[in-house]
Amino acid sequence: MPRRKRLVPEATPQLDKLKQETASEVGVTLDNYNPNITAKQAGTVGGYMVKKMIQDYQNRAKNQQ
């Protein structure tokens, strides 16, 4: 199954860094490709990534006021 095309390809390095940081915070070991993680672990990492992105956006919006 092909991967989704990223809307902003320039963001790839930052998203990869965020993924690695988030995974280490929740205790999931990620390599470039780790087929041994469970769906629950992958979902946890993704969920926390979204949570961090939303918090960052809210902080930036608050600081602009």
Side-chain angles (χ1 to χ4, degrees):
M1 181 174 192
R3 291 178 168 232
R4 288 185 175 181
K5 182 178 177 185
R6 294 217 169 136
L7 295 176
V8 184
E10 299 82 21
T12 299
Q14 292 87 359
L15 287 172
D16 289 340
K17 181 180 175 188
L18 177 63
K19 185 187 333 179
Q20 291 295 332
E21 290 173 359
T22 305
S24 67
E25 288 175 11
V26 297
V28 176
T29 303
L30 291 180
D31 295 326
N32 288 339
Y33 174 74
N34 187 352
N36 298 323
I37 66 171
T38 64
K40 182 177 180 179
Q41 290 172 318
T44 299
V45 171
Y48 276 92
M49 285 176 64
V50 170
K51 184 177 179 179
K52 284 181 165 187
M53 287 187 274
I54 291 171
Q55 286 175 343
D56 183 58
Y57 176 81
Q58 289 173 339
N59 289 338
R60 288 176 189 227
K62 189 185 301 182
N63 291 335
Q64 288 182 351
Q65 292 179 355

